[in-house]
Amino acid sequence: MSGRLELQGLRKSFGGVVATDDVTLGFEPGTLSAIIGPNGAGKTTLFHLITGKLPVTAGRVLLDGAEITGLDRREIVRRGIGRAFQVANLFPSFSVQDSLAAALMAHAGRTAGLFSTFPPPDVQRQAEEVMELCGLTHLSRTEARHLSHGDQKLLDIALALALNPKVLLLDEPTAGMGPDERWRMIERVYRLWEARKLTLIFIEHDMDIVFKIAQSVRVLRYGAVLAEGTPEEVRRNPAVVEAYLGAEHAL
Amino acid sequence: MGFGRDSAIALAVLLVFILLEFTGLRSAGLVDFAIRFATFGLLALSLNLLIGSAGLVSFGHAAYFGMGAYSFGLLMQTGAWSVPAAILAAVAMTALLALVIGALCVRLSEIYFAFLTLAFQMLLHSLILSWIGLTGGDQGLMGGIPKPPFLGVDLARQDHLAAFSLFCLVASAVALRQILRSPFGAALRMLRDNPDRAAFLGLSVFRYRLAAFVIAGSFAGLAGVLMSLYVSGAFPSFAFWTTSGEAIFMIMLGGVSVFLGPLVGTAIFLMLNDWITAVTEHHGLFLGIILLIIVLGLRKGLLDFAVEHWRARRGNQP
Ligand SMILES: Nc1ncnc2c1ncn2[C@@H]1O[C@H](COP(=O)(O)OP(=O)(O)OP(=O)(O)O)[C@@H](O)[C@H]1O
Ligand SMILES: [Mg+2]
């Protein structure tokens, strides 16, 4: 089974600000992990480094043992790392099904054709599969800009998923949602993970969600790893309790 | 499927026009209007490939219009070229010019792109003015353009020219629409909507934008050829910024988001222009005011507005 992601001594500084400080973490194939940490802890930056959106200052990123540090971000997508964004990053005038079809075709390098009609039937079928999996089928013809906030986040995840990644990074999939919507979203994410058996890493602020579904939790603070382990271990870790969770979550 | 339907509609439009024109209903006014409509309609339609679909607002589109007109005129004046061959050559030369200018412009962000396209157009315009030996300078390409008949088409006759121009417009419209429907067209729209994510998915922003620039330039070159046939010459004003401005004006009148919007805009623009020129000499002022009213009043082109309105009404019905 593939999809092992390893970060070795990863470091990123913006001028004087150290956003990622010597992060060494391993994610086993097919696991479901959460990354938590207060605002500004460097969670999103870590995803930028893994996906090649930002160059690393030092350290290495390995996917299934092969180094991918410094590769072009398209190449990193092609190697199998998918990513959804903290703020949904979509094609506003495309319907849901066309967004997915367009993503699939761009990824497969099939957008040069002038004489065929977009989308071709085989791509259309793939797009339908992804919509089915993400529960977007009933919205297939709705333009992305007319979707609700939650469905936009879902489409963003679907776009990443369409490219069949081995590792999927979700940056706050439930950001900006009400309590009910959050749980619906996270159930979807959980089912996606079960169905696709991929290595899923998500950033989340809601501790109830994290402790309920994650197999392992990594805690970041000031860009460095403060703690890691199972939800139980992290919940009991005194440093975490003191630094981050506060009184309401302590034991 | 879509392509077949478009072609059928295009053929029907053309046949209706030719029937009208050659069965006694014709008037000199209609024939003249048809030629100008086809010429400027094609120019506006080609520019809207950039503005509406690729999200590239070019201020210098008339450069390719002028290039097509001058290339065609000069080739025909040598006396060695047939009309179809000269058209192909003129369009090819325009495409080459668009390739060179586009390669320098499409990497730039919006405002720099707009101004650099404008700058290259002004460069071409001054070149036309100063290279008097070739272009006739500000007098334009004089002495008329020979139009030897081909395949029974005699473009020296206005009625033939009108039918031919309309044929070029309709065939180009079908081709442009197919381009928009194709995977390539989808890629252009992705780049317009969200270049960052599109690049992330593997699209080359540069290559796709350049291809769109060259395609749009080529069709503008064909429009220039029609213009040169119409006036039997070529003038520096074809490549002046006012011509680019008029094309943008037509698109704004008709609408960017509907395929036929620019053609509706062209028709309105030409009719307004004819009418206003007849009643006042300050026609620029009046056209400007009308554009302001439409842009500020509707905040979109007429066809954009109509289609949205229609969709909203249809959506409201249970
Ligand atoms: N492009 C940048 N230039 C300078 N500083 C940056 C840049 N991006 C992030 N930072 C800084 O790096 C730190 C980490 O930011 P990051 O966005 O990774 O935090 P985060 O953990 O995702 O926070 P949040 O929970 O609010 O999303 C912050 O102090 C931020 O100000
Ligand atoms: Mg963040």
Side-chain angles (χ1 to χ4, degrees):
Chain A
M1 198 169 175
S2 62
R4 170 182 288 105
L5 182 69
E6 289 160 275
L7 315 179
Q8 299 179 347
L10 220 49
R11 217 184 136 73
K12 177 74 192 176
S13 48
F14 298 104
V17 183
V18 179
T20 304
D21 189 5
D22 196 18
V23 170
T24 298
L25 289 172
F27 299 89
E28 290 303 310
T31 54
L32 176 55
S33 319
I35 294 182
I36 65 174
N39 291 108
K43 306 180 295 293
T44 299
T45 303
L46 197 62
F47 278 9
H48 286 332
L49 297 179
I50 297 169
T51 55
K53 166 124 195 200
L54 289 174
V56 305
T57 306
R60 310 202 304 157
V61 182
L62 293 96
L63 178 62
D64 293 324
E67 178 154 5
I68 58 168
T69 336
L71 291 182
D72 182 75
R73 57 198 182 127
R74 278 184 257 164
E75 178 57 25
I76 294 178
V77 175
R78 226 167 281 138
R79 299 272 182 109
I81 297 188
R83 184 217 176 139
F85 294 80
Q86 189 165 350
V87 177
N89 192 357
L90 305 173
F91 301 104
S93 76
F94 281 64
S95 68
V96 169
Q97 64 179 19
D98 283 355
S99 301
L100 290 166
L104 283 160
M105 293 198 67
H107 185 61
R110 288 175 56 188
T111 40
L114 285 171
F115 303 108
S116 56
T117 297
F118 170 86
D122 62 315
V123 174
Q124 180 73 28
R125 269 195 303 280
Q126 280 174 272
E128 273 159 18
E129 245 168 64
V130 179
M131 286 190 289
E132 187 81 43
L133 191 60
C134 296
L136 283 166
T137 308
H138 63 295
L139 296 167
S140 64
R141 290 179 182 282
T142 308
E143 284 178 20
R145 63 177 151 197
H146 293 140
L147 292 174
S148 70
H149 173 79
D151 290 329
Q152 289 191 349
K153 295 281 286 187
L154 201 53
L155 176 56
D156 196 350
I157 295 174
L159 282 178
L161 205 63
L163 311 185
N164 229 335
K166 299 181 205 164
V167 177
L168 181 59
L169 311 176
L170 305 180
D171 196 344
E172 300 195 26
T174 68
M177 296 182 186
D180 292 350
E181 207 181 2
R182 272 170 184 241
W183 282 106
R184 269 205 304 279
M185 180 65 153
I186 217 65
E187 263 167 41
R188 282 246 170 269
V189 169
Y190 191 80
R191 264 184 268 138
L192 288 180
W193 170 70
E194 280 184 324
R196 285 286 180 98
K197 306 262 182 278
L198 35 69
T199 311
L200 197 145
I201 307 169
F202 69 105
I203 296 174
E204 180 58 64
H205 280 295
D206 187 324
M207 290 310 128
D208 293 336
I209 287 177
V210 170
F211 291 139
K212 180 110 191 270
I213 77 162
Q215 295 177 316
S216 72
V217 181
R218 325 293 161 104
V219 188
L220 290 186
R221 190 175 59 148
Y222 303 133
V225 181
L226 179 69
E228 57 178 314
T230 64
E232 271 314 299
E233 287 163 1
V234 167
R235 203 205 291 257
R236 296 223 181 86
N237 185 316
V240 176
V241 172
E242 182 200 349
Y244 180 55
L245 296 178
E248 64 180 303
H249 281 283
L251 293 175
Chain B
M1 176 193 70
F3 178 75
R5 204 193 54 181
D6 286 356
S7 308
I9 294 174
L11 204 64
V13 168
L14 204 60
L15 281 177
V16 167
F17 175 77
I18 289 176
L19 276 175
L20 272 182
E21 198 190 18
F22 291 98
T23 53
L25 266 174
R26 74 140 167 262
S27 67
L30 172 71
V31 168
D32 188 74
F33 185 83
I35 301 172
R36 285 188 298 140
F37 173 72
T39 303
F40 287 103
L42 182 49
L43 180 65
L45 214 50
S46 70
L47 178 56
N48 200 39
L49 175 71
L50 292 182
I51 294 183
S53 307
L56 294 169
V57 181
S58 165
F59 282 170
H61 203 53
Y64 314 102
F65 187 69
M67 182 71 182
Y70 274 92
S71 315
F72 177 76
L74 286 167
L75 287 175
M76 290 313 291
Q77 284 187 343
T78 64
W81 291 72
S82 72
V83 170
I87 291 179
L88 287 181
V91 169
M93 284 155 81
T94 310
L96 199 64
L97 179 71
L99 182 69
V100 173
I101 295 181
L104 296 167
C105 294
V106 297
R107 282 182 210 275
L108 301 175
S109 62
E110 286 132 29
I111 191 76
Y112 294 102
F113 171 81
F115 281 111
L116 200 62
T117 52
L118 179 64
F120 277 114
Q121 163 180 315
M122 296 320 281
L123 197 69
L124 184 75
H125 181 252
S126 0
L127 194 71
I128 292 172
L129 283 183
S130 50
W131 197 346
I132 299 171
L134 184 71
T135 64
D138 58 3
Q139 295 292 304
L141 213 54
M142 303 293 281
I145 289 178
K147 299 162 195 163
F150 63 97
L151 304 170
V153 181
D154 179 6
L155 296 181
R157 286 178 52 179
Q158 287 294 91
D159 53 353
H160 280 213
L161 180 57
F164 179 73
S165 302
L166 226 50
F167 166 77
C168 288
L169 171 67
V170 161
S172 304
V174 171
L176 281 167
R177 199 166 154 88
Q178 170 56 34
I179 289 173
L180 293 183
R181 207 182 356 243
S182 70
F184 174 81
L188 290 186
R189 279 180 280 124
M190 288 169 90
L191 289 174
R192 172 196 67 193
D193 275 18
N194 191 342
D196 198 51
R197 181 104 201 215
F200 199 56
L201 289 168
L203 286 186
S204 158
V205 181
F206 176 73
R207 271 193 244 159
Y208 280 86
R209 286 194 170 158
L210 182 58
F213 198 82
V214 171
I215 292 171
S218 307
F219 281 104
L222 180 58
V225 168
L226 296 179
M227 189 65 185
S228 140
L229 282 164
Y230 174 56
V231 300
S232 235
F235 298 98
S237 66
F238 294 178
F240 199 49
W241 65 267
T242 51
T243 305
S244 300
E246 278 173 8
I248 293 177
F249 199 121
M250 291 166 188
I251 293 176
M252 290 179 77
L253 275 172
V256 284
S257 66
V258 185
F259 179 74
L260 293 177
L263 291 185
V264 172
T266 304
I268 298 173
F269 179 88
L270 292 177
M271 288 191 280
L272 272 178
N273 198 37
D274 291 354
W275 173 65
I276 293 173
T277 319
V279 297
T280 163
E281 55 195 44
H282 306 290
H283 78 282
L285 181 68
F286 279 83
L287 275 177
I289 290 172
I290 290 167
L291 180 66
L292 268 182
I293 292 172
I294 290 187
V295 171
L296 296 179
L298 300 181
R299 300 196 173 265
K300 53 193 67 127
L302 284 175
L303 214 52
D304 288 343
F305 186 76
V307 166
E308 253 172 50
H309 195 68
W310 176 72
R311 282 204 184 124
R313 281 191 54 169
R314 205 182 47 164
N316 285 341
Q317 280 158 13

